[in-house]
Amino acid sequence: MGAVRPGRVSRAWPLAFLVFFLISASWVFASPYDGAPDEVRHLVRAAGVVEGQIFAKPATQPGLGNVGAYQTVPKGLVQGGAPTIMYGYCYHWAPARSAACAPVPGGGGKTPTTVITGAGRYNPVYYAAVGEPLVLWPNWTGILLARLVSAALCAAFLASAWLSCLEWRRSRLLIAGLLVAATPAFFELTGAVNPNSLEIAAGISLAAAAIPLLLDGDSPHAQRWLRRAALAAIGIGQFRTLGPELIAGLLVVLLLPPSRAQVRQLWRRRSARWWSAGVVASCALGELWTITSKVSDVGNIAHGKYSTGLILRTELQPNGRLLRVVEEMINGFSYYDTKPPHLILVIWGVAIGLLLAAAFGWGTWVERWRLAALIIGTLSIPVLFEVSAANTFGFAFQGRYILPLAAGAPMLAAFITGRSGRLTTIWQARVIRTMIVVLLPVQLFSLGWVMDRWQSGIGPGHTLNPLLGSWHPVTGSVLPLVLMTAGLIGFGWLAWRAASLAEDEHPLVHGQPSAELRSAPLASGAQPGVTSPVS
């Protein structure tokens, strides 16, 4: 298809940013103190980094091994939290309890206190970006502002992913992949101070840009895809320990077997060589930090000894841990104690299954190999990790750890289906609209359900009403629901409009314009193959 003027497309970025920021901000204001996984540990690390404690003093505790590091931070951030690695609060792993018993941050103000945090040795880059409000206002104000900064960074990566989807003019189906990749569990994490959220957002942005760049790069947008993919990969190399391995996994799948002409054409660009050097440097620095700071050296905290056979059975048996890891990527809310309805998992599973079935059914053998390798490689990571570390860490792997790579699977499946030419643009638009109608309400339902769990608890007396309960967010229960609704309406409108513009283009039948359109005269001033710009 023909090129579009980049300026008209790029103006969609601020609107997409606003939409994703609103969705993430709904979780920012809904979550109680330490509502998202390990948030207090990351709050402490962020405040410590801003205070200059980048190389913090390592810490150990009996029975818990090497548990991170000490950080001296304002007492208001850890009010009610014992100086221990566990940071377990009254409502954690107790779904019948609301968050009304949780500590209220702010007590003690800026008085320095030294505490242990399991994130104390983590790479400081993310924490330096979000930590300033925590030091200036060590109370709810600072926590909410730090969460909003993190949410904005995630929204920026997601807006870039949106542009990459729009710019792939062969098909709009990458939008369907994005709708599926941004799961409810991911959006909950974007509302917390946790580098994993930014890593996942960058992973989605990397997949959205790298897939068309490396597999269908004969496009005027290749330079922008290159820049976005490189920036996302540079970030992933710094945010968390596993980042460089996740980048390598995606690139190996996309580049093997190589399209030599495509790679040579891309490598001729000086910018490609410079951006590649930046990615390699970021990954090298990230690995260097991991090694020198001994991030992975947590000692022996396992509570038993397991044979390799037992570990594999535990992981791979029906309803085993591997299935739980997959579930956690979709509906793994809070400390995995929320027990969300299976309907969320079923709806998301059907959406993923449809994209995968279409891709495996209509893709070439190379495309099928790539998709299968990405899925198998992603799911192999938790199994291999548990085999190597269960006798040291216990069974500790969580689904969100591999979501930056796993998010590429629905994106790649959507790309393969779109490139196959088996769906007319009319049917592509219908697929996108179906995803909008089915998936976006689940995002709102997920927020309401988790809010209800935090505010009322699950069990007898459970209200099924996110406006009631013994605990309410500091800004009230209405604001998160309003923000989520506004964000989802905006997201739905953007995707629906993009599908409509695709539908207005030449309907493709097996990748070619229909006979009627080939014989039809062009409108006055139109040129063959030039599509409508997206504003």
Side-chain angles (χ1 to χ4, degrees):
M1 290 188 179
V4 294
R5 288 176 289 175
R8 297 293 297 274
V9 176
S10 62
R11 282 201 294 270
W13 192 95
L15 185 56
F17 171 83
L18 176 61
V19 163
F20 292 122
F21 180 70
L22 288 174
I23 296 173
S24 299
S26 67
W27 287 101
V28 166
F29 293 107
S31 180
Y33 183 72
D34 203 36
D38 304 325
E39 187 180 33
V40 169
R41 303 180 189 185
H42 298 296
L43 293 175
V44 171
R45 176 58 172 161
V49 167
V50 170
E51 293 276 31
Q53 303 161 40
I54 295 174
F55 300 95
K57 179 183 177 182
T60 60
Q61 281 192 343
L64 291 173
N66 304 318
V67 293
Y70 291 101
Q71 305 265 226
T72 300
V73 299
K75 188 175 182 180
L77 292 178
V78 291
Q79 177 66 21
T84 169
I85 187 62
M86 296 307 291
Y87 285 117
Y89 296 113
C90 54
Y91 69 99
H92 291 166
W93 307 289
R97 293 181 182 174
S98 76
C101 60
V104 178
K110 295 185 178 182
T111 303
T113 184
T114 300
V115 295
I116 296 173
T117 171
R121 303 179 193 175
Y122 288 6
N123 193 307
V125 171
Y126 167 82
Y127 301 104
V130 304
E132 188 67 29
L134 301 171
V135 175
L136 295 177
W137 302 283
N139 49 34
W140 264 122
T141 298
I143 292 173
L144 292 177
L145 288 174
R147 288 177 178 177
L148 287 172
V149 172
S150 185
L153 294 172
C154 292
F157 276 118
L158 292 175
S160 294
W162 173 256
L163 279 192
S164 297
C165 293
L166 287 184
E167 288 171 347
W168 188 51
R169 302 297 293 177
R170 189 184 295 267
S171 169
R172 292 290 191 208
L173 276 185
L174 268 181
I175 294 171
L178 177 60
L179 285 162
V180 173
T183 65
F186 157 65
F187 271 122
E188 186 215 8
L189 207 58
T190 64
V193 174
N194 190 321
N196 196 188
S197 63
L198 195 53
E199 183 186 35
I200 298 168
I204 294 173
S205 184
L206 174 61
I211 289 171
L213 173 68
L214 297 177
L215 301 183
D216 195 15
D218 185 17
S219 166
H221 304 294
Q223 185 63 35
R224 286 183 288 279
W225 290 337
L226 172 64
R227 181 174 63 249
R228 293 188 201 119
L231 288 173
I234 289 171
I236 295 171
Q238 295 292 306
F239 296 145
R240 284 174 60 87
T241 303
L242 200 59
E245 288 78 10
L246 299 180
I247 296 170
L250 180 62
L251 294 182
V252 166
V253 167
L254 297 181
L255 291 174
L256 294 178
S259 174
R260 293 183 177 85
Q262 186 106 342
V263 172
R264 281 198 302 267
Q265 180 183 4
L266 183 61
W267 195 249
R268 289 193 191 105
R269 298 173 182 262
R270 179 180 298 179
S271 58
R273 298 192 292 271
W274 279 107
W275 281 120
S276 298
V279 172
V280 171
S282 175
C283 291
L285 290 174
E287 288 293 338
L288 181 62
W289 177 273
T290 298
I291 294 170
T292 57
S293 298
K294 300 181 179 180
V295 174
S296 301
D297 181 17
V298 298
N300 191 332
I301 59 175
H303 300 290
K305 289 294 182 181
Y306 312 97
S307 67
T308 300
L310 177 59
I311 296 171
L312 290 175
R313 287 195 299 274
T314 303
E315 293 292 318
L316 302 176
Q317 65 185 351
N319 203 30
R321 278 191 49 80
L322 185 59
L323 179 60
R324 191 178 309 169
V325 165
V326 174
E327 293 177 359
E328 288 170 355
M329 290 189 281
I330 298 171
N331 64 1
F333 303 114
S334 191
Y335 280 80
Y336 306 129
D337 57 5
T338 302
K339 303 184 185 304
H342 289 297
L343 181 65
I344 298 174
L345 183 64
V346 169
I347 291 175
W348 229 267
V350 169
I352 295 171
L354 288 175
L355 289 178
L356 295 180
F360 280 118
W362 294 334
T364 66
W365 75 267
V366 173
E367 290 171 336
R368 295 169 185 164
W369 177 91
R370 284 199 173 100
L371 184 57
L374 179 58
I375 295 171
I376 295 171
T378 300
L379 296 181
S380 296
I381 293 174
V383 176
L384 295 175
F385 179 88
E386 302 286 33
V387 168
S388 64
N391 287 316
T392 302
F393 303 149
F395 292 93
F397 202 93
Q398 300 178 30
R400 59 189 175 90
Y401 298 161
I402 55 170
L403 191 48
L405 180 60
M411 302 291 291
L412 182 57
F415 173 88
I416 293 171
T417 303
R419 194 165 69 166
S420 71
R422 295 298 190 96
L423 293 178
T424 66
T425 51
I426 293 175
W427 271 102
Q428 292 174 24
R430 289 174 179 172
V431 170
I432 295 170
R433 290 169 182 165
T434 300
M435 296 288 189
I436 294 169
V437 172
V438 173
L439 296 183
L440 294 190
V442 176
Q443 298 279 7
L444 179 61
F445 176 77
S446 298
L447 174 68
W449 182 274
V450 180
M451 286 179 62
D452 194 26
R453 178 265 177 268
W454 284 330
Q455 294 177 191
S456 302
I458 297 173
H462 186 54
T463 64
L464 295 178
N465 186 341
L467 297 178
L468 301 178
S470 58
W471 178 84
H472 292 278
V474 66
T475 55
S477 298
V478 174
L479 180 61
L481 297 171
V482 171
L483 292 174
M484 175 64 82
T485 301
L488 293 177
I489 290 174
F491 191 13
W493 179 82
L494 286 176
W496 196 282
R497 176 169 172 75
S500 298
L501 290 171
E503 191 177 38
D504 291 340
E505 296 170 355
H506 290 178
L508 298 185
V509 181
H510 299 289
Q512 298 296 329
S514 64
E516 292 84 354
L517 284 172
R518 286 199 301 269
S519 61
L522 292 172
S524 176
Q527 298 179 21
V530 178
T531 56
S532 303
V534 180
S535 58

